[in-house]
């Protein structure tokens, strides 16, 4: 049994993380929150504290899970890595490559592992898409579209707060960019843009154009304040591969991979229901090859996001 401490306890943790950890029989030893009074009548099988010092002083915790606002990820990850803890952090771990390099250096010195949450890659649907792509059966990729768009949220949502590293890029934009890089590690950023709306202080819409080996075009799109869209489309000379609900989905969703041909054939590959959070936690500490791949995707995704902002500042 693994002992884990969770830093932060928002809706995502309650809905997705705690149930999976209980299912895996991991011992949630601590949950660190900002307001103890809010949890005075809690029914969680964990010690609720409001100070990370209590976790640091314990000495029996194996893994730290960071689920706080993005602006605090670097601070908490550095604090726990420096004390020898393995860290799993919500995306993105940092907003600059300099901060990420610092964390990786500390992790190396302390013989710890640093993981970024990219749960969708552990779903059978994404694995099947990757398998079909790498088989080469459809030839050379011409174009691809990675898109994640959601309607507007509550005005009080932290995604609208620039002080907490809010905005569409770091939230929904992360998924199209990281998925594109996971499937096409050689992809290079060619152009990007971000847009906001009157009354908002963060970016709400964006796109990035990447190329693969100067041939294939990769179009990544993201938005907060649009009709819902959550898909990956791969276009070849004579075939198109499509997956809906590519990034975020409940474990009860019956997923498929669709393949269309230029002669009107339509093939459906059933990938069924799957719990990508369960799979992620199951493999995160044991699959060394997948960890190294994720390490590369993490670094390159943060590098691309950092360059997106550089492109905007230079416009």
């Amino acid at each position: 049994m693994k002992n884990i401490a969770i830093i932060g306890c928002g809706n995502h943790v309650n809905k997705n993380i705690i149930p999976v950890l209980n299912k895996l029989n991991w011992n949630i030893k601590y949950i660190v929150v900002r307001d103890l009074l809010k949890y005075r009548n809690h029914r969680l099988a964990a010690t609720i504290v409001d100070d990370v010092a209590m976790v640091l002083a314990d000495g029996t915790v194996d893994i730290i899970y960071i689920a706080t606002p993005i602006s605090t990820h670097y601070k908490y990850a550095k604090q726990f890595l420096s004390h020898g803890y393995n860290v799993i952090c919500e995306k993105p771990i940092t907003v600059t490559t300099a901060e990420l390099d610092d964390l990786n250096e500390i992790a190396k010195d302390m013989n710890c592992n640093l993981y970024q949450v990219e749960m969708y890659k552990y779903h059978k649907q994404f694995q099947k898409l990757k398998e079909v792509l790498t088989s080469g059966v459809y030839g050379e990729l011409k174009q691809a579209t990675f898109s994640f768009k959601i309607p507007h949220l509550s005005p009080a949502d932290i995604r609208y707060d620039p002080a907490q590293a809010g905005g569409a890029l770091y939230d929904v934009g992360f998924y199209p960019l990281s998925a594109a890089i996971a499937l096409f590690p050689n992809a290079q950023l060619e152009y990007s843009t971000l847009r906001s709306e009157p009354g908002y202080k963060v970016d709400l819409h964006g796109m990035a154009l990447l190329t693969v080996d100067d041939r294939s075009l990769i179009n990544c799109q993201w938005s907060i304040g649009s009709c819902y869209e959550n898909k990956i489309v791969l276009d070849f000379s004579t075939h198109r591969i499509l997956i809906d609900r590519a990034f975020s989905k409940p474990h009860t969703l019956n997923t498929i991979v669709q393949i269309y041909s230029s002669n009107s054939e339509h093939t459906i590959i059933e990938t069924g229901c799957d719990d990508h959070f369960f799979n992620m936690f199951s493999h995160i500490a044991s699959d060394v090859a997948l960890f190294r791949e994720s390490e590369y995707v993490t670094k390159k995704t943060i590098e691309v996001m950092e360059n997106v902002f550089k492109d905007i500042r230079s416009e």
Side-chain angles (χ1 to χ4, degrees):
M1 178 186 293
K2 295 184 183 297
N3 291 326
I4 187 168
I6 302 174
I7 316 302
C9 192
N11 292 333
H12 165 63
V13 167
N14 283 292
K15 178 183 176 182
N16 298 311
I17 305 306
I18 291 176
V20 162
L21 294 176
N22 289 334
K23 189 175 179 181
L24 284 164
N25 200 33
W26 285 24
N27 178 35
I28 306 173
K29 196 160 187 181
Y30 296 98
I31 299 178
V32 180
V33 300
R34 287 181 296 175
D35 184 2
L36 283 176
L37 289 177
K38 182 179 177 181
Y39 294 88
R40 63 184 181 275
N41 296 319
H42 76 87
R43 297 182 180 180
L44 300 169
T47 300
I48 309 297
V49 299
D50 62 355
D51 190 345
V52 297
M54 296 186 67
V55 180
L56 291 168
D58 182 281
T60 64
V61 174
D62 302 303
I63 297 174
I64 304 297
Y65 190 93
I66 298 173
T68 55
I70 294 168
S71 59
T72 65
H73 286 180
Y74 172 68
K75 175 185 74 173
Y76 285 126
K78 184 171 184 175
Q79 188 172 16
F80 283 104
L81 288 170
S82 297
H83 283 79
Y85 288 92
N86 295 307
V87 171
I88 303 171
C89 187
E90 285 289 336
K91 53 76 185 170
I93 295 176
T94 66
V95 297
T96 69
T97 52
E99 290 178 339
L100 181 63
D101 288 342
D102 184 38
L103 294 182
N104 283 331
E105 191 64 31
I106 296 171
K108 182 180 178 181
D109 290 343
M110 299 299 295
N111 196 28
C112 299
N113 288 324
L114 174 63
Y115 305 92
Q116 179 170 257
V117 174
E118 297 162 356
M119 73 291 180
Y120 66 89
K121 296 196 304 184
Y122 297 85
H123 198 284
K124 289 189 294 186
Q125 184 190 44
F126 188 82
Q127 291 295 321
K128 176 56 70 172
L129 177 69
K130 188 174 182 179
E131 177 187 317
V132 172
L133 176 64
T134 55
S135 72
V137 67
Y138 298 115
E140 184 180 36
L141 179 77
K142 301 301 181 182
Q143 296 186 48
T145 301
F146 296 76
S147 179
F148 198 6
K149 303 174 183 179
I150 62 174
H152 269 303
L153 307 161
S154 165
D157 194 281
I158 63 171
R159 294 169 182 83
Y160 297 122
D161 186 354
Q164 300 192 72
L169 173 62
Y170 293 143
D171 187 55
V172 289
F174 169 88
Y175 292 103
L177 290 169
S178 64
I181 293 165
L183 292 178
F184 306 101
N186 296 328
Q188 299 296 320
L189 179 65
E190 299 290 341
Y191 171 79
S192 62
T193 188
L194 295 175
R195 293 292 182 267
S196 187
E197 296 175 6
Y200 294 92
K201 298 180 180 179
V202 297
D203 60 286
L204 296 176
H205 319 286
M207 64 83 63
L209 182 66
L210 299 90
T211 57
V212 181
D213 300 327
D214 293 325
R215 293 193 298 272
S216 306
L217 295 176
I218 312 296
N219 185 358
C220 296
Q221 306 172 12
W222 57 89
S223 180
I224 296 177
S226 297
C227 292
Y228 188 81
E229 188 171 76
N230 179 355
K231 68 180 183 181
I232 298 174
V233 181
L234 305 180
D235 284 321
F236 301 85
S237 296
T238 59
H239 289 80
R240 166 174 289 181
I241 303 174
L242 165 68
I243 63 171
D244 278 315
R245 297 302 298 268
F247 308 113
S248 175
K249 46 186 165 271
H251 64 88
T252 54
L253 182 69
N254 190 28
T255 62
I256 60 175
V257 175
Q258 300 184 73
I259 303 175
Y260 298 87
S261 71
S262 56
N263 60 6
S264 301
E265 291 180 351
H266 181 205
T267 302
I268 296 177
I269 302 175
E270 300 279 351
T271 47
C273 302
D274 201 16
D275 190 333
H276 47 197
F277 284 108
F278 181 90
N279 296 341
M280 180 187 73
F281 279 104
S282 297
H283 292 88
I284 206 164
S286 60
D287 194 330
V288 177
L290 191 56
F291 169 65
R292 296 306 173 202
E293 175 190 300
S294 295
E295 195 175 36
Y296 174 84
V297 172
T298 296
K299 175 71 177 286
K300 189 157 185 177
T301 301
I302 291 173
E303 180 182 289
V304 168
M305 290 195 298
E306 190 174 20
N307 285 329
V308 168
F309 272 116
K310 286 180 181 177
D311 287 349
I312 297 306
R313 287 195 293 266
S314 64
E315 286 185 348

